[in-house]
Amino acid sequence: MTLQVLVQRSARATAASRGAPRCLVPAAKRSTFSSSSPSARVAANVGRDTPLHVVPRAERRAARQAAAKHSTDSLEHKVVRTSSLPARVSFALLAGGISGSILWHFVLDEQLKRRIRETLGATFLGDVYVFVSKKVEETVKPFTDPSRQKLLPDWPIPQVPADTPPVPVLVVDLEDTLVHSEWSRKHGWRHAKRPGVDEFLETLCQYYEIVIFSQNYGAEEIVQKLDPKQCALHVLSRDATRYLNGAHVKDLGNLNRDLRQVVILDDDPEAYQLQPGNAIPVKPFTDGRDRDDHELRNLIPFLKALASERVPDFRQVIGEFRDDDGVVRDLAAKYSARVHQLEMQKEQQKKKGFGGFVRGRLSHHPAAQTGGVAAGGFSSGSRL
C-alpha cells in the first residue's frame, strides 16, 4: 500500500467524522430520549407556549401563617420535661447556700457574727455554724484578703543603700487626696492634680518612705504622670486592700513596717478603720478647678517635725490633736497655733530679762531643744 493511498483514506475518515456529530449517550439508551415521549414534549414547550404558574403574594403569606399556627398548636400539646424534682431541689439548695454565704460574710458585721456564735453555743447548730463559717471564710479569703502577706519588701529596699537605717513610712491616698478623677463621654478619664502635690512629695520624700495607696486598679499609670521624679517608693492598688464591712480597707498591718512609725493621709475614714490611730484625715479634693486648696502644703510643717524629731510613737502625738469625739480635725491649723503659742512664750521670756529668764528656767525645767520650736514641742512634756 502506497503512501498516497494511506493519505486518501485518512482524509475520508476525517471528513466523515466532521459531518456526523458524536453522541455521548449509548445507542441502547437513545430510544428513551426520543422526541415522541411526553417528558420531551413538555421540556421542549417550557418557556415557549406553556406559561409558568405564579402564586400570588397574598396566597403565599396565608400559607406561611397557616404553617406557623400549626407548628404553635402542636408545641402547646407537647410536655417538655426540663428537670426532675431532685435536680430542682439541689439547685435551690446550692443557690440558697451561695446567697447565704455572701450575706453572712459581706453584710453581717463582726459583732453580729459573734452574738450568733455565742447564742448557739456548744450545741449541734453551733457546731454546724462554726463549720460552715470556717468553710465560707476559706472560700472567700482569696477575694477579701490582700494578695500577699508583706505588701512592702524588707528594709533596706533596693532603692536605698544597704546601711540606711529605717525611716518612717508615709502612706498617702491617691483618689481625692492627691488627684481628682473625672470621666466624660467626650474626654474619657481625666485627672487633676491637687495644688501643692509636687512640693508635698519632693519635700517629704527626704523624711519618709512614701507609699501611694489606691483603692482602685490602674494606680501605677496615674502615679507615673503624677510623680515623674519618683518621690514615692511604692505604689499599691486594690489587690493590696482588705475587703471588710463593705469597704476596701488599707490594712497598715500588712506593710511589713513598724506601726509606731507609720502615718496615713486619707479622706475616707473607712479606708483606715483598722488603724485609726495612725491616720490624719484630710479634706477631699473633689473640684479639679479649685486652685486655692492648701491642704497638702499646710501639712508639710507638721509631718517634717514628726519625722525629724524621732518620736517613738506617732500615734501618741496624733492623738493629742483629737477632739472630744476622738476625731482629728484641722490638724495643720492646730499645729500652727501651738507653734505660735510657743514662740510667744519665748518672746515673753526674753522680755523678762536675765533674772526672769533664770527664774523661768528653774521653775519650768523645759527640755533642751535640738530641732527648733517644733522639736521642743514634741520632745518636752507639752507637745504641740
Side-chain angles (χ1 to χ4, degrees):
M1 184 179 296
T2 62
L3 179 60
Q4 184 177 3
V5 175
L6 293 176
V7 172
Q8 291 177 356
R9 289 183 179 180
S10 176
R12 287 196 297 270
T14 303
S17 63
R18 290 178 180 177
R22 298 177 62 186
C23 183
L24 299 178
V25 181
K29 297 183 179 180
R30 290 177 188 174
S31 60
T32 59
F33 293 95
S34 62
S35 60
S36 60
S37 62
S39 60
R41 289 195 300 270
V42 172
N45 293 329
V46 170
R48 296 180 182 179
D49 299 332
T50 304
L52 296 176
H53 178 67
V54 180
V55 180
R57 181 179 297 177
E59 294 183 8
R60 295 199 303 270
R61 185 184 298 111
R64 288 196 300 269
Q65 293 176 356
K69 183 178 180 181
H70 176 72
S71 61
T72 304
D73 295 340
S74 61
L75 288 176
E76 290 179 355
H77 297 286
K78 292 183 179 179
V79 178
V80 180
R81 190 179 183 89
T82 57
S83 61
S84 60
L85 180 61
R88 290 196 294 268
V89 172
S90 301
F91 178 77
L93 292 176
L94 178 61
I98 295 175
S99 303
S101 301
I102 295 175
L103 176 67
W104 178 85
H105 189 81
F106 294 101
V107 178
L108 301 182
D109 56 4
E110 296 298 330
Q111 295 181 356
L112 183 56
K113 295 177 184 178
R114 191 181 303 109
R115 286 201 297 268
I116 294 175
R117 190 180 300 109
E118 293 175 355
T119 302
L120 296 177
T123 61
F124 174 74
L125 292 178
D127 296 338
V128 172
Y129 174 79
V130 172
F131 175 78
V132 173
S133 61
K134 288 183 178 180
K135 292 299 181 181
V136 172
E137 290 179 354
E138 293 176 359
T139 303
V140 302
K141 188 175 182 180
F143 304 97
T144 58
D145 288 1
S147 58
R148 51 195 182 276
Q149 292 294 329
K150 295 182 179 181
L151 299 179
L152 301 182
D154 295 335
W155 187 269
I157 58 178
Q159 295 93 320
V160 300
D163 57 347
T164 304
V167 297
V169 179
L170 175 61
V171 181
V172 188
D173 175 48
L174 181 62
E175 292 81 9
D176 293 341
T177 299
L178 297 180
V179 299
H180 174 66
S181 303
E182 292 181 353
W183 185 89
S184 63
R185 184 182 297 272
K186 181 179 180 180
H187 302 285
W189 280 107
R190 293 192 298 177
H191 311 281
K193 294 171 60 175
R194 191 168 196 163
V197 168
D198 297 333
E199 179 184 357
F200 180 84
L201 294 177
E202 293 176 9
T203 302
L204 295 179
C205 70
Q206 306 174 42
Y207 302 89
Y208 290 91
E209 180 184 6
I210 298 180
V211 181
I212 296 181
F213 208 149
S214 172
Q215 294 179 343
N216 301 322
Y217 292 107
E220 292 80 5
E221 182 179 356
I222 301 176
V223 173
Q224 287 178 0
K225 300 178 181 179
L226 174 70
D227 182 25
K229 297 182 180 180
Q230 298 182 355
C231 298
L233 299 178
H234 312 281
V235 180
L236 300 177
S237 300
R238 174 172 291 188
D239 63 323
T241 61
R242 183 184 303 277
Y243 191 80
L244 182 65
N245 297 330
H248 293 278
V249 182
K250 301 169 184 176
D251 189 358
L252 304 180
N254 292 101
L255 288 180
N256 193 26
R257 296 292 185 269
D258 186 3
L259 282 179
R260 297 174 299 178
Q261 298 292 307
V262 177
V263 59
I264 179 173
L265 271 63
D266 205 307
D267 65 294
D268 184 10
E270 293 185 350
Y272 51 81
Q273 58 181 283
L274 292 178
Q275 294 89 14
N278 297 81
I280 298 178
V282 296
K283 296 179 181 178
F285 178 61
T286 57
D287 187 3
R289 293 175 292 273
D290 184 11
R291 298 292 93 188
D292 296 328
D293 186 280
H294 302 286
E295 188 77 9
L296 296 179
R297 290 193 181 98
N298 294 338
L299 286 173
I300 291 177
F302 173 80
L303 293 173
K304 285 176 58 178
L306 189 66
S308 60
E309 281 306 303
R310 303 182 183 275
V311 178
D313 195 341
F314 289 172
R315 295 170 293 188
Q316 296 180 0
V317 178
I318 297 174
E320 295 184 3
F321 292 89
R322 299 186 183 278
D323 295 337
D324 296 336
D325 57 356
V327 180
V328 178
R329 297 183 180 90
D330 300 328
L331 185 144
K334 295 177 181 178
Y335 173 74
S336 299
R338 295 193 183 186
V339 170
H340 180 70
Q341 182 181 1
L342 283 179
E343 291 178 350
M344 293 296 295
Q345 291 178 0
K346 289 180 62 177
E347 291 294 333
Q348 292 177 0
Q349 289 178 356
K350 290 181 180 179
K351 292 179 180 180
K352 290 180 181 179
F354 181 75
F357 177 74
V358 172
R359 288 193 298 271
R361 296 281 292 182
L362 294 176
S363 60
H364 295 289
H365 300 286
Q369 297 184 4
T370 59
V373 176
F378 283 141
S379 59
S380 63
S382 58
R383 293 175 180 167
L384 296 179

